[in-house]
Every structure is written in C-alpha cells, then in structure tokens.
Amino acid sequence: MRFSEWKDGDTPYTITNKLQQKSDEIAYERKKYVKAAMVHAWNGYRDHAFGFDEVKPVTGGTTTHWGGLGTTLIDALDTLWLMDMKDEFWEARDWVRDSLDQNVDVDASVFETTIRSLGGLLGAYSFSRDKTFLLKAMDIGERLFKAFSDETSVVPHELVNLKTGRGSNAKWVGSRYIISEIGSIQMEFRDLSWSTGVKEYAQKSERVFEALKKIEPKDGLYPYFLTSLNGELHFASNDVSFGAFGDSFFEYELKLWLQGGRKESMYREMYDKSMDGMHKQLLHVSQNGLWYIGTRMDTIKFDHLTCFMGGLLALGAYTDPEGLDSSRAQRDLRTAKQLAYTCYQMYAQMPTGLAPDVIKFSKSNGFSIVEGNYGLRPETVETLFILNKLTGDPIYRTWGWEIFESIEQYCKTAIAYGKHPNVKNINVSPEDMMESFFMGETLKYLYLLFDPDTEVDILNKHVFNTEAHPLLNKDHYPTDNVFN
C-alpha cells in the first residue's frame, strides 16, 4: 500500500514552517483547477437547469428531486462565495429573491431540506449579510418547523408538506424515527433562532437532544432507530452505525457544543462518551492493518459515509477541554489519521482512483466491494481538509489532489460531473446524476484544502453543518441582526 508510513496514525517527518510554505505554494496552483471544476459544473447547471433541483450531467435534463426548491443552487451559494465567484453568487441571489417559491404542495424531507435549503440559505447569509437569504430562510424554516406540531412527541415528523404543514412519516419507516434525521437539524434551527430572535426554533429542536440524553446508553452508542411513546423516546433497534442512519447525529454532538461557544457541556459530554464507546466496541483493524469503524451488527462493513469521522475526531481532539496533549485527545487524533489513511486507500486501490460506496473487510486480504459506485461523495475530502488545516501535514493535500484528478478523469462530462457506476472499470461513462452536494460539499472541501488564505476558521469562528454550510458560532454571531 502506498504511503504506508501513515497507516497507524504516524507522521514520518517533522512538519516545519518551510515544509508548509512549500505545500502552500503548490496549493495556490492546484486550487485554480478546483475552481475551474466548479466553474464547469456551475455553468452546466446554469445553462441547462438554473432554478431546478439538479442538472442531469449527461443529457442536460433537469430534476425536481427535492421538491423544486432550486436545491443545487442553494447548496452551491457559499461555495460560490468562498471561490470568489461573486458574479455567479449575485445572479443566484437574484433568482432566490425573485423566483424561489417554497410554498409548494410537496411532502419534503425535514432532514434533507433543513441541511440543504435552510443550511444553504443561512450559510449564504452568514458571509454576505444579504437579507434576501435570511428572508427565504425564515420562510422555509417556518414551514419545516411545522413538523414539530405534534405536541405529544418531542421529535419532528420525518416529512412535512411545505404548503399545508401536514406532517407524516415515510411508509418504510413506519412509526420509527432515524436518529441521524431527528438529531441533525439543531444547528440550523439554532442559527435561525439567533438571526430572527424566535427562541422557539432553538428550544424545540434542542428538546430532541434533551430527550436523547435521558435515554443515553452507558456506552454512549445510540442505536439508529427510535420510537416515541407518551412524549418519551425508546430505542427500536440494537444496531449502531457511524455511517448510514447514524452518522450526523454523532457529528452534531460535537458541533452543537462548538456552535454554542463551547459552553453547553451536555453536548460535549455526549460526544466524548460516544467516542469512548466507539473506540472500545466498533473500531477494528483489518488483517493488512487498515483501521475502520464497523457497525454493531456487521463488524466488517464500512461505508464511505463514515469517512467524515476522521475530520470529526480531529476537530474534537483540537478542541478537547482536557487539552490536545491529553491522552483522550491524542487517542482521537491518532484514530482520525488512521481512518483518513483507510479512506484514502479506498480510492488509491481502485483502477479509477475513485472510492466504492460500501466495502467489507476480509480476514485474509484487504477489503472487497459491496457497492461499487462512486456518488461524488465528500466525506473523505472533508476529513483531508480538516486534518491538513489542523495538523499542517501536506500529505492530506497530496491525497486530495489524487482524488480530484480521478474525479476529473472519470466523472467529468461535457455538461458537469456525474456519478461513476463502477470504480473498478475505467471504461464506463458517468451516470446521468449529480447530487447537489457535489458543488455544495465535495468541491468546497477540495477548494478549502488548497486555499491557505481562506476566511473559514474551523477552530474559532465557523462550524460546518452536515451539508458543509459554514455557520458562525455564538461567540462570533453579529449583535446587529436584521430582525432582532
């Protein structure tokens, strides 16, 4: 395996100022290519699907996959800002102001619409302070908040009709709730509360975490299915996942603490207990030395979704109340680096240089593919950005550049970029699908990885929501909000 010196979380050289300066010089050149990729993707969307949820990158068709809310446009706003694509940003702002209609008869996913639409509008507002974005955030926030209308339950409905306010759950979920969905909307509603002065947005969304705290498992490992009975939550499964169904809940344990200015100890305590449980029960090492986080019910399965954990653990280590030099923080930082290496290998070992969506580890020889598509996912480059930003190690830029080159070679179309159907096959073409998170997350994290001068400050000022929208923490929140 290439770069095996990093496999166990070690760095085989001293990171000096000279080394970082050289890395920055290379990064300045490489970020130009990432911006060019964003220009290509944005122009394809603008020319073929402006105002629609998604562009089809092969045929140039359009989708209203998320209810016709201009989701790709909204998700891309703060990426445009950070890449200094201001003309495109203001043109998109004009569409938001003049054409975005959120009063639609659609049963919208509360979770997805909160992290993409509400988060995207709030992220754009946090940088530009243009009240167009806050007005639209207030509108979609009020509509989504009706999912909390059931006074017998502390948790929101999974779906809410944006026109009528009627809440419901998807048929396959039934009466259950998914922990990543009910536990990953608090950052956005707290930010909206601080912007508008409407305290209920923060209070009702925070009650979900308060209810979860009451049933906190001793090991901190929350199963991902729950039910609500007489206003109390109960677990409806035993399985625990840091990938699908669980991931962003564990993410928000830490990030709510960071968002609140590191003052709300309940969130940090929940996070630290969850990380302790993960290390004791779910962290494994394969026969060939790759570290990974399994699920409770499937100890050899690993999702690309779980690759965000490298960045989360590093962020938790650098903000640990016990200090970065504490044994806990050093444990978490080493695990962060080990996971980053594993996730890099998911790319490096494929003929296309693209990672499969799900793998399983073998007792005898590395890993095998369970789901072999690459959906333009951001989790690995998210971790590489955070680790490079915090540690200064140039290796994370090296790995990120390899990933970017593979995306350019195997996912680029004449219009934009498409999902790759088989990462083991270099001879197949991209599929006709580009999710909004490609511009909202993947290209943003890649650009930030190569931007030494970014205004984003992940240690002191900004907290990314789970859709990569940077929100201000409480200590940096403006006191002159438009609607206060």
Side-chain angles (χ1 to χ4, degrees), residues 448-475:
L448 291 173
L449 176 63
F450 298 113
D451 185 12
D453 303 324
T454 180
E455 63 186 289
V456 173
D457 182 351
I458 59 173
L459 275 184
N460 303 298
K461 187 176 181 180
H462 296 101
V463 189
F464 284 91
N465 86 332
T466 196
E467 191 75 6
H469 297 303
L471 305 178
L472 294 170
N473 70 30
K474 193 71 178 287
D475 291 340

Side-chain angles (χ1 to χ4, degrees), residues 150-163:
D150 184 356
E151 296 299 330
T152 66
S153 175
V154 296
V155 293
H157 290 289
E158 185 196 7
L159 307 172
V160 68
N161 187 287
L162 296 178
K163 191 178 190 73

Side-chain angles (χ1 to χ4, degrees), residues 166-438:
R166 182 182 62 86
S168 61
N169 283 1
K171 289 182 179 179
W172 77 272
V173 175
S175 61
R176 298 175 301 178
Y177 296 91
I178 300 169
I179 198 166
S180 64
E181 295 196 351
I182 64 171
S184 309
I185 58 177
Q186 287 71 21
M187 281 183 64
E188 297 81 359
F189 277 107
R190 279 155 55 105
D191 189 282
L192 184 63
S193 176
W194 300 342
S195 294
T196 61
V198 181
K199 294 180 180 180
E200 191 179 26
Y201 289 142
Q203 292 169 345
K204 273 200 172 183
S205 62
E206 288 169 343
R207 283 176 194 161
V208 176
F209 261 79
E210 293 164 6
L212 288 167
K213 175 64 176 175
K214 289 180 181 178
I215 60 169
E216 183 178 35
K218 291 181 179 180
D219 56 14
L221 296 176
Y222 283 81
Y224 51 70
F225 284 138
L226 303 109
T227 57
S228 177
L229 183 64
N230 299 324
E232 294 185 354
L233 293 178
H234 304 270
F235 295 118
S237 69
N238 292 319
D239 204 6
V240 176
S241 169
F242 283 78
F245 302 143
D247 49 5
S248 50
F249 161 70
F250 296 108
E251 178 185 0
Y252 275 34
E253 287 181 320
L254 176 66
K255 289 186 173 179
L256 286 168
W257 178 72
L258 294 173
Q259 185 191 30
R262 311 185 190 183
K263 297 179 180 68
E264 300 155 300
S265 60
M266 180 186 80
Y267 299 119
R268 179 77 207 204
E269 290 166 4
M270 291 173 72
Y271 168 78
D272 286 325
K273 183 177 280 191
S274 294
M275 295 309 105
D276 286 345
M278 180 273 292
H279 277 94
K280 292 173 182 175
Q281 298 184 41
L282 302 183
L283 183 65
H284 308 283
V285 61
S286 69
Q287 192 72 23
N288 61 340
L290 293 177
W291 294 85
Y292 67 98
I293 302 172
T295 71
R296 178 174 280 166
M297 306 301 286
D298 193 342
T299 59
I300 61 173
K301 178 189 173 193
F302 186 67
D303 297 355
H304 188 283
L305 284 170
T306 311
C307 287
F308 85 98
M309 279 295 295
L312 188 74
L313 283 161
L315 192 58
Y318 273 78
T319 59
D320 195 313
E322 296 181 0
L324 179 58
D325 292 331
S326 67
S327 59
R328 182 175 68 188
Q330 285 299 303
R331 175 202 68 181
D332 289 358
L333 182 57
R334 177 172 289 273
T335 303
K337 294 176 179 180
Q338 292 166 338
L339 292 172
Y341 182 80
T342 297
C343 292
Y344 163 67
Q345 287 298 324
M346 288 174 68
Y347 287 81
Q349 293 187 28
M350 295 299 112
T352 58
L354 301 170
D357 209 43
V358 183
I359 61 175
K360 281 195 173 184
F361 283 92
S362 160
K363 290 184 178 179
S364 57
N365 186 29
F367 58 80
S368 59
I369 294 175
V370 178
E371 296 179 22
N373 66 89
Y374 171 66
L376 304 172
R377 287 199 182 279
E379 292 81 17
T380 296
V381 293
E382 173 185 359
T383 279
L384 299 181
F385 157 62
I386 294 171
L387 274 168
N388 175 259
K389 191 72 174 176
L390 297 180
T391 70
D393 191 343
I395 196 65
Y396 301 114
R397 283 176 169 163
T398 300
W399 298 348
W401 182 248
E402 288 185 17
I403 292 169
F404 174 70
E405 287 188 307
S406 294
I407 292 171
E408 282 287 292
Q409 183 171 358
Y410 294 106
C411 298
K412 191 172 186 178
T413 71
I415 294 170
Y417 293 81
K419 172 181 178 180
H420 197 280
N422 184 351
V423 297
K424 294 185 73 173
N425 190 339
I426 63 173
N427 296 312
V428 295
S429 299
E431 293 183 357
D432 203 14
M433 180 179 182
M434 182 179 79
E435 287 232 37
S436 69
F437 58 63
F438 180 64

